[in-house]
Amino acid sequence: MKTITIEPVTRIEGHAKIQIMLDESGNFNDARVKVVELRGFEKFAIGRPIEEIIRIVPRICGVCPWAHHLASAKAADAVFGVDIPSPAKKIRELAYMGHMLHSHILHFFMLAGGDFVVGPDADFERRNVFGIIEKAPDIAKAVVRNRWLAQMITQKLGGKAIHPDVAVPGGWAKQITPEERDECKKMLNELYDFALFSIDYAKKNIFPQYLDFVSNVSVIKTGFLGLVKNGNLELYDGKLRMMKADGSYEDFEPKDYKEYISEHVEDWSYLKFPYMKKAGAFSMDLDNPIGIYRTNALARVNVCDKISTPKAQAELEEFRAKFGRPAQPTFLYHWARLIEIVYCAERAIELVNDEEIISDNIRLKLEPVAGRGTGCVEAPRGTLLHTYETDAKGLITKANIIVGTTHNNAAINMSVKKAAKDLIKNGKYDQGILNKVEMAIRAYDPCLSCATHSLNGKIFCEITLINHLGEVIDVIK
Amino acid sequence: MNIGKEFSNVEKIVIGVGNILFGDDGFGPKVIEYLKSNYDIKENVLLIDAGTAVREILFDILLSDIRLKEILLIDSVDLRRKPGEILELKIPDIPLDNIDRYELHNAPSTNLLRELLLKNKADSVKIFACQVGKLPEEIKIGLSREVEEAVPILSDSIYKSFLS
C-alpha cells in the first residue's frame, strides 16, 4: 500500500493533512483528512467573567471573529435569561450580514475562485488569486471594493471589524447614529448590485462548464444541519433543523443540541466526528453512511423551506429545480454560498431601512447570575454553538464550543474519499486530480486556523510514503 | 480605485500577526499595542493588529490600487534560535520550496508578500519576527519573559527606523 500525502491544502484557513492510501494495484483504498483543532478553550474559560469571554472569543479565529463574538453574546444572554431589545437584535443581525458578505465574497472569488475562474487543471502557480487578477482584473478589483464595503459596515456598527467587542450580555454597546445608518445604506446598495452580479456571473461563466464535474464528482449522501426561522433560511437566530438524507427533518432549540448530536472519536484524528444521535451509530462508509450530516451553506440552503427575500428566493427555486432537495453534490456548496450572498445583501437592506436601527434602546442592565446558556449562529463555515455555565458572581464554571468545521469533519473525510475513489485509477494521477481532491475539501470552506500557526515546518512540510506493509518508505520534508 | 478613504493618506502599514491566545504567538499584536501606547504615531502610518487575519489584509492590498512606501510585518517564528531573538526575514531569500517552513499564518502569505513586491505595491516589504519559546498546545494568554522583553526593543527600533 502506498500513501500519498498532500499538505498543506492551500487556501483553506489553517492546515490540513490529507493521506490517500492506495492498494497494491494502485487503486483507492482509504483516505483520511487530519485537521488542527482549537484546544484548551474550555479550561481557559473557567473562572473568567462571562462578559470578558465575549470580547476574547473573536481572537479564536481571524476569519470568523463576528460569528464567535455573536454566538458568545447570545449564550451570555441566555445565561442571564434575557430577551434583548429588538433594536439590538436588528443591529447584531445587520452587522452579521456584513461579516457574512465579507467572508463569502472572499471564499468564492479568492479561495475557491482560483479553481474555477482559472480552472482546476491549471498550473498551481496560476490557480489562485494571482491567476484571477490576470484573467479577470476588473472582477478582482470589484471583489476588493465590495469586501471593503462589507468590512466598513461592521466597523460603522461596531467600531472594530477584525476583533469586535461591541456585543455585550443584554444587547449592543454602541448606538448607531443616523449618519452612520445612511452611510451603511449607500454601501449596501453597492453590495446588493455586486451580489446579483456575482451569482449571475457564476451561472453564466463558471457553473455551466463545470456542471458535469459538480454533479458527478465527490457526491456523497448525508443529512444536513442548519438554522431556520419559521422555515426560512436563517443565519443569526431561530431553531436548528436536522434533516436526514431522505429530506425528512426535525427542529429543535439550539440549547438542546446534545439530545440530537453525539460525538464519535477516531484514534487517528484529534478532531471529533459529530453525528446524528438518533441514527444510533456512526459510519463514514461511502455506500452506507450512518449518522453523517453536513453544515455550512449547502446545508442551510437544503434545510430551509424558503428564503424570506425575493431575489434569493428566486435563486433558491432555480437551484432546487436543477438539483432537488436536499442537493447532495459537494461542489454545490459554492452555488449555495452565492445564494446566501444575495440573501445577506437583501436582508441587510431590510434591516438598515428599519427605523429601530438608530434607537437608543439597545442594552439591558444586568447583574451577575448563576445560569446556563447556549448561543448559536450560522458561521460562514457552519453551525456554531457556544455554551456557558456561570456561578452567582457571573464567572464561568463550564464552557463548550462546537465550530462549523467540526460538524463537517466526517463529511469532509467522506468527500475526499469519494473524490479520490472517482479520480485515481490504477495508480494513475496527476496534478489536476490531486487538485480536485483538494477542491473537495475547499468546498466546505473549512476554517482550521482556530489554533496557533506555530511555524513548524517539520510538521507542515512532511510527506510520508507508506508501503502496503504499513512501513514508512520515505519522508520528504 | 481605492479600497477606502482610511487608506488614502497612508504611506506605511505595520501589521502585527499572531494569536494572543497561544502564548508567544501573540508577539506581533503585542508590538502593535506597545507602539500605539508609547509613541506618537503620524497620520500616514497605519498600525494593524491583524491577529490571524493577515492574509485577508494582504489580499486586499495586493488587489487594490494602493501604493505604499513601507509594509512591515511583525510576527513570531520558530527557527530554533534563542527565545526572544529578533530576526529579519528577507522575502527574496525565502525559497519557494520552503514556503511552508517560513509560512506567516495561513498559506500563501509568503507568496502574497513576494507578489506585493513584484507588483510594486510597496517600495519595501519587511518582516521582523521574534523567536518564540515553547508554544502552548492549549489556549494560554501571555508572552514568555524573553519574548515580552523583546517587545519594547523591537517597537523602539521600528519607531526610530521607520516611523519617526
Side-chain angles (χ1 to χ4, degrees):
Chain A
M1 188 184 295
K2 187 168 75 167
T3 297
I4 308 164
T5 302
I6 312 165
E7 65 174 327
V9 178
T10 56
R11 285 179 285 120
I12 60 173
E13 315 299 342
H15 303 88
K17 180 176 178 181
I18 308 167
Q19 290 185 326
I20 302 165
M21 279 74 81
L22 307 180
D23 60 22
E24 289 178 68
S25 305
N27 290 312
F28 169 84
N29 183 54
D30 200 2
R32 292 170 176 175
V33 183
K34 300 177 185 179
V35 298
V36 178
E37 182 188 27
L38 173 78
R39 288 198 281 167
F41 178 77
E42 292 80 1
K43 198 163 68 180
F44 166 81
I46 289 172
R48 292 181 184 272
I50 191 163
E51 62 272 19
E52 182 188 336
I53 282 293
I54 300 170
R55 293 193 297 270
I56 290 175
V57 293
R59 292 280 178 174
I60 289 175
C61 175
V63 182
C64 325
W66 280 90
H68 282 291
H69 188 49
L70 293 180
S72 182
K74 288 182 70 183
D77 297 339
V79 165
F80 286 95
V82 296
D83 187 22
I84 68 169
S86 169
K89 275 186 202 170
K90 288 174 181 170
I91 297 169
R92 282 186 186 179
E93 188 181 351
L94 177 56
Y96 200 49
M97 293 302 105
H99 172 63
M100 291 292 287
L101 285 164
H102 186 255
S103 180
H104 272 11
I105 292 171
L106 170 83
H107 186 269
F108 185 78
F109 286 104
M110 292 185 178
L111 303 183
D115 294 331
F116 293 107
V117 175
V118 184
D121 297 317
D123 182 85
F124 172 81
E125 290 286 318
R126 304 321 311 164
R127 194 172 46 86
N128 50 35
V129 69
F130 311 124
I132 297 173
I133 296 170
E134 260 178 26
K135 197 161 180 177
D138 291 341
I139 290 177
K141 287 193 174 186
V143 165
V144 173
R145 167 75 182 164
N146 282 276
R147 271 174 43 78
W148 177 79
L149 291 172
Q151 183 97 317
M152 282 304 103
I153 287 168
T154 59
Q155 193 159 309
K156 293 274 177 219
L157 299 174
K160 288 195 226 169
I162 298 179
H163 301 122
D165 56 5
V166 69
V168 291
W172 193 259
K174 177 184 171 297
Q175 187 179 351
I176 311 305
T177 66
E179 292 74 26
E180 287 168 335
R181 187 261 319 267
D182 292 344
E183 285 183 59
C184 287
K185 277 186 184 179
K186 281 186 197 165
M187 292 191 281
L188 281 166
N189 286 335
E190 200 173 329
L191 272 162
Y192 173 78
D193 289 340
F194 183 71
L196 296 185
F197 161 78
S198 297
I199 196 162
D200 191 53
Y201 174 81
K203 287 195 297 185
K204 285 180 180 159
N205 300 291
I206 296 177
F207 295 142
Q209 51 182 314
Y210 296 111
L211 201 56
D212 184 55
F213 176 72
V214 163
S215 303
N216 295 303
V217 175
S218 193
V219 180
I220 58 174
K221 198 171 181 185
T222 71
F224 294 94
L225 175 73
L227 282 174
V228 290
K229 196 170 185 180
N230 302 319
N232 286 301
L233 174 74
E234 178 63 36
L235 302 172
Y236 172 75
D237 212 353
K239 291 183 177 180
L240 281 170
R241 174 170 289 178
M242 183 71 85
M243 175 178 274
K244 291 181 185 172
D246 65 7
S248 63
Y249 59 79
E250 196 172 354
D251 294 352
F252 58 95
E253 295 290 343
K255 69 180 174 60
D256 298 326
Y257 72 91
K258 285 190 175 176
E259 293 175 29
Y260 294 84
I261 298 169
S262 285
E263 291 180 321
H264 173 80
V265 177
E266 293 280 352
D267 59 8
W268 50 266
S269 173
Y270 284 121
L271 201 60
K272 290 176 182 170
F273 294 78
Y275 66 99
M276 293 180 197
K277 193 171 189 175
K278 291 191 175 181
F282 172 88
S283 172
M284 293 190 286
D285 187 304
L286 289 175
D287 298 322
N288 186 30
I290 302 172
I292 311 298
Y293 66 88
R294 290 184 271 182
T295 65
N296 196 327
L298 181 61
R300 295 188 286 256
V301 161
N302 274 332
V303 300
C304 73
D305 301 322
K306 56 191 187 300
I307 299 179
S308 62
T309 59
K311 294 284 186 188
Q313 172 63 21
E315 294 296 339
L316 177 68
E317 288 170 15
E318 184 181 334
F319 181 84
R320 287 206 170 140
K322 284 183 189 293
F323 305 109
R325 180 192 183 198
Q328 295 285 1
T330 301
F331 292 106
L332 289 178
Y333 269 91
H334 300 299
W335 197 318
R337 211 164 273 125
L338 288 170
I339 295 173
E340 287 194 334
I341 286 177
V342 175
Y343 165 71
C344 288
E346 287 185 295
R347 178 63 182 147
I349 287 172
E350 283 179 0
L351 289 162
V352 82
N353 283 313
D354 190 318
E355 281 303 308
E356 281 195 342
I357 287 292
I358 54 172
S359 166
D360 61 0
N361 179 26
I362 53 175
R363 184 174 185 177
L364 301 174
K365 281 190 176 176
L366 303 173
E367 295 296 329
V369 293
R372 181 182 192 281
T374 293
C376 178
V377 299
E378 283 294 331
R381 291 149 192 87
T383 307
L384 174 63
L385 290 152
H386 280 235
T387 300
Y388 308 125
E389 288 181 27
T390 59
D391 61 18
K393 293 178 182 173
L395 303 178
I396 291 175
T397 56
K398 202 171 179 182
N400 188 41
I401 294 179
I402 303 179
V403 302
T405 298
T406 305
H407 289 290
N408 279 335
N409 192 16
I412 289 171
N413 271 274
M414 286 179 63
S415 290
V416 170
K417 284 183 191 198
K418 186 68 169 63
K421 190 175 181 182
D422 291 341
L423 296 166
I424 299 176
K425 303 286 183 193
N426 302 319
K428 290 184 181 171
Y429 56 88
D430 57 23
Q431 189 65 33
I433 289 174
L434 296 181
N435 290 342
K436 286 165 191 166
V437 172
E438 285 190 24
M439 285 169 64
I441 295 185
R442 261 200 294 285
Y444 293 94
D445 188 14
C447 186
L448 312 173
S449 69
C450 298
T452 174
H453 66 315
S454 86
L455 297 177
N456 191 338
K458 187 175 69 176
I459 294 172
F460 297 141
C461 293
E462 195 172 274
I463 298 175
T464 307
L465 298 172
I466 302 170
N467 67 15
H468 65 286
L469 299 172
E471 298 164 337
V472 175
I473 55 172
D474 197 5
V475 177
I476 305 165
K477 294 180 182 176
Chain B
M1 182 197 300
N2 282 326
I3 60 174
K5 62 185 176 186
E6 276 76 1
F7 285 84
S8 58
N9 295 319
V10 170
E11 295 180 334
K12 300 176 180 182
I13 295 181
V14 186
I15 306 173
V17 183
N19 194 337
I20 64 165
L21 298 181
F22 287 93
D24 288 345
D25 199 49
F27 176 76
K30 197 75 178 174
V31 168
I32 297 298
E33 184 186 316
Y34 193 90
L35 284 168
K36 283 182 178 175
S37 304
N38 294 284
Y39 296 93
D40 184 21
I41 303 297
K42 292 178 182 172
E43 282 190 1
N44 68 341
V45 175
L46 187 61
L47 302 178
I48 302 174
D49 169 5
T52 54
V54 61
R55 187 179 53 179
E56 298 197 27
I57 293 167
L58 296 180
F59 264 141
D60 287 346
I61 294 172
L62 182 65
L63 298 182
S64 73
D65 286 343
I66 290 175
R67 180 78 170 78
L68 298 161
K69 285 186 177 171
E70 197 89 59
I71 297 175
L72 297 182
L73 254 84
I74 315 301
D75 203 344
S76 51
V77 70
D78 188 1
L79 294 175
R80 295 172 186 165
R81 313 277 288 224
K82 189 179 164 194
E85 186 177 349
I86 296 166
L87 308 157
E88 181 180 356
L89 304 182
K90 301 275 189 184
I91 297 168
D93 295 342
I94 301 174
L96 279 173
D97 61 0
N98 248 350
I99 278 171
D100 300 313
R101 189 179 297 275
Y102 292 87
E103 183 204 344
L104 296 167
H105 286 281
N106 305 333
S109 294
T110 315
N111 310 44
L112 283 168
L113 292 168
R114 192 187 300 273
E115 290 285 331
L116 287 170
L117 282 174
L118 292 173
K119 298 277 190 297
N120 289 320
K121 291 294 173 185
D123 295 339
S124 163
V125 179
K126 292 183 185 297
I127 310 165
F128 292 102
C130 182
Q131 169 65 49
V132 297
K134 188 175 186 322
L135 290 174
E137 291 187 358
E138 298 189 342
I139 291 178
K140 186 184 175 191
I141 290 181
L143 305 180
S144 64
R145 183 178 55 81
E146 294 88 347
V147 173
E148 183 83 51
E149 286 172 359
V151 171
I153 295 170
L154 180 60
S155 299
D156 200 53
S157 171
I158 287 172
Y159 183 76
K160 286 176 179 164
S161 303
F162 301 103
L163 307 182
S164 61

